[in-house]
Amino acid sequence: MIFKSPTRLAYQVSAGPTTERFLRGILERRILGLRCPECTKVYVPPRGSCPTCAAPCHEEVELPHTGTVTTFCVVNIPFEGQLLEPPYACAHVVLDGADVPILHLVGGCDVSKVHMGLRVVAEWSEEPTPTLASIRYFKPLDPL
Amino acid sequence: MRLARAIHVCGFAELPPVELDHRSEAELVQAVTALALADAGMQRGDIGFTCSGSSDYVMGRPFSFVMALDGVGAWPPIRESHVEMDGAWALYEAFIRLQHGDVDTALVYAFGKSSLGALADVLALQLDPYTLAPLGVTHEVLAGLQVQALRDRGVEASLEGAEHRDGAAAICLRVGGEGPRIAAIDHRIDAHDPGLRELTRVPSAELAARACGTEGVEIAHLHAQWAHEEVLLREALGLSCETRSSRMADVPMVSGLANIGRAAQAVRDGVPRALAHAAQGPMLQQNLVCILEAA
């Protein structure tokens, strides 16, 4: 017997001071990381605490919109709830000056030509919202 | 209680429970664990085992317990574990882990927020999805049944609930040394179906108290969600001493661990023997008892 009983929970979640500062930056097309005072690594998106040193991070670092693809995968398979039309490329992009990658899309090019080490730049949406979807994707800095 | 190794509470901290704390789990955990380590005179590198208690459903986001690890410095990976329970049960796991003999220190922390607004609904999801939840049964409904059962027994009782807060707590444990010693710790659970229980007793609390031995306790910190539960607990734990309840500033997933810290603090302040209690589930379904004594 299958018993359908949808469960819903409603929350009022606040992003927290660190994430809020980051998202307010995104609204202004600025990418703001935080530097750990002990190991000096720059984290983006920042979480407020260094995962290696457990030190609170307060020094804000504005990052350029350029970076390097360190790994990627091309999604060719359709699935339920898919937001994008395959094929598309998901990638880790390490922004210049950051020490951890952000997971995002690589677009604006033939995805079969995406490769590790590809230099990319953020392509912003017309009207940014307080989410990382305000960057539509990262596109190659130079034509492929 | 026969133990291979004596475990001492060497550090404790709690963030003052507040109505609304905007900080993320990583920020709460970073703040509270730094305070507990400072209280113990320890560094993060001194910790052999880390264990946490929290609930992703309470926090309203998946893998909240993993995100919290950013607050303790878990990279490169550390020996670490988590229970989807009040932090008092994380302390129980750490206590057992320290009995193994290969690590001598542990850090236990818990965090929770009630300000997200879903606590009563989250707790209702603990109930049977076929026979109870569709009827609109909640923890409050069950507490009401228990109040009525007490009245029928001739006990004065009314339905007075907890004030819920946001917060975090952390405790450092060490094998040997100074600081309040965990003389005994035990936890037991009653049947899931409330119909299987005699509502005016708490058998699991009675068993945990008997396993620990509560004689000679001078102060007890109780974890109750309803006023009548405090009455039931005094009876189940066999207490005639001063009791304090975390009910009016209850932090989900945290109050039980904080009670262990508060009992340890009482011992530090000169009380020879103190009791800490933690509970989970509706109508005091699951109970943990911890006895702290002067080292």
Side-chain angles (χ1 to χ4, degrees):
Chain A
M1 183 168 71
I2 293 171
F3 184 84
K4 276 205 167 184
S5 174
T7 297
R8 290 187 184 84
L9 291 168
Y11 298 88
Q12 276 195 306
V13 178
S14 97
T18 303
T19 303
E20 179 171 335
R21 176 105 189 109
F22 171 76
L23 295 175
R24 287 192 185 282
I26 291 293
L27 278 174
E28 299 169 358
R29 294 196 175 87
R30 299 170 70 204
I31 306 174
L32 303 173
L34 284 177
R35 190 189 307 278
C36 172
E38 292 182 17
C39 69
T40 72
K41 279 188 179 170
V42 172
Y43 294 100
V44 64
R47 297 265 296 132
S49 176
C50 173
T52 301
C53 308
C57 306
H58 300 297
E59 186 195 336
E60 199 162 86
V61 180
E62 180 157 4
L63 293 158
H65 300 180
T66 52
T68 305
V69 170
T70 58
T71 189
F72 70 98
C73 84
V74 177
V75 179
N76 288 299
I77 302 166
F79 55 86
E80 196 178 324
Q82 197 166 32
L83 297 173
L84 302 164
E85 181 92 1
Y88 55 92
C90 295
H92 267 182
V93 176
V94 177
L95 295 174
D96 298 335
D99 287 280
V100 292
I102 59 174
L103 177 68
H104 218 295
L105 303 165
V106 174
C109 64
D110 176 356
V111 292
S112 68
K113 294 191 175 164
V114 174
H115 58 87
M116 285 165 69
L118 180 68
R119 296 283 295 152
V120 291
V121 60
E123 175 77 8
W124 292 82
S125 62
E126 296 285 320
E127 287 186 27
T129 57
T131 76
L132 262 188
S134 295
I135 296 173
R136 292 172 61 205
Y137 49 75
F138 284 84
K139 64 181 183 187
L141 259 180
D142 302 310
L144 290 178
Chain B
M1 196 170 189
R2 286 172 58 194
L3 299 170
R5 311 174 92 200
I7 313 296
H8 297 254
V9 173
C10 59
F12 167 57
E14 60 178 318
L15 304 182
V18 293
E19 281 189 26
L20 177 59
D21 195 322
H22 281 296
R23 284 179 286 183
S24 70
E25 48 277 86
E27 292 165 300
L28 291 170
V29 167
Q30 196 285 326
V32 79
T33 56
L35 289 170
L37 286 163
D39 187 42
M42 294 165 89
Q43 308 282 325
R44 288 179 195 274
D46 298 334
I47 296 297
F49 180 63
T50 301
C51 198
S52 63
S54 69
S55 163
D56 287 0
Y57 280 98
V58 167
M59 295 302 289
R61 51 172 126 192
F63 293 101
S64 160
F65 76 102
V66 179
M67 295 204 267
L69 283 170
D70 282 357
V72 287
W75 181 264
I78 57 174
R79 286 192 199 92
E80 174 271 327
S81 184
H82 171 262
V83 293
E84 201 81 0
M85 293 284 287
D86 185 289
W89 276 266
L91 184 135
Y92 186 88
E93 180 177 339
F95 178 86
I96 298 298
R97 183 66 185 79
L98 289 175
Q99 298 298 326
H100 290 196
D102 59 331
V103 292
D104 300 326
T105 51
L107 172 65
V108 182
Y109 63 87
F111 58 93
K113 288 193 189 191
S114 56
S115 61
L116 306 177
L119 187 61
D121 298 333
V122 169
L123 295 177
L125 289 181
Q126 294 178 329
L127 303 170
D128 186 281
Y130 301 106
T131 61
L132 293 176
L135 303 177
V137 175
T138 63
H139 280 213
E140 185 174 17
V141 169
L142 294 173
L145 275 181
Q146 198 162 33
V147 163
Q148 189 57 47
L150 279 167
R151 284 178 180 165
D152 292 343
R153 206 185 77 180
V155 179
E156 268 187 43
S158 58
L159 193 60
E160 294 169 46
E163 295 280 344
H164 296 293
R165 298 284 184 268
D166 294 357
I171 284 179
C172 299
L173 299 176
R174 182 186 281 153
V175 176
E178 296 178 359
R181 182 175 61 89
I182 298 177
I185 186 166
D186 195 87
H187 70 95
R188 304 291 172 118
I189 188 165
D190 276 304
H192 188 248
D193 186 337
L196 295 175
R197 290 180 53 185
E198 206 279 86
L199 297 183
T200 63
R201 279 183 50 213
V202 193
S204 58
E206 290 170 14
L207 281 169
R210 201 180 307 150
C212 288
T214 60
E215 64 287 344
V217 165
E218 292 191 9
I219 185 165
H221 286 267
L222 304 181
H223 184 196
Q225 297 299 316
W226 305 90
H228 67 274
E229 291 182 349
E230 293 161 11
V231 178
L232 284 165
L233 283 170
R234 284 182 66 88
E235 193 173 298
L237 304 179
L239 299 174
S240 53
C241 64
E242 178 188 351
T243 56
R244 292 181 190 167
S245 170
S246 52
R247 183 169 61 92
M248 295 319 287
D250 180 67
V251 182
M253 319 313 288
V254 174
S255 287
L257 182 67
N259 276 349
I260 296 175
R262 291 162 188 158
Q265 190 57 48
V267 171
R268 277 177 169 180
D269 293 342
V271 171
R273 190 166 156 85
L275 181 147
H277 164 259
Q280 296 266 262
M283 300 191 298
L284 296 167
Q285 185 193 23
Q286 188 161 8
N287 291 274
L288 181 147
V289 173
C290 179
I291 306 287
L292 282 301
E293 284 182 359

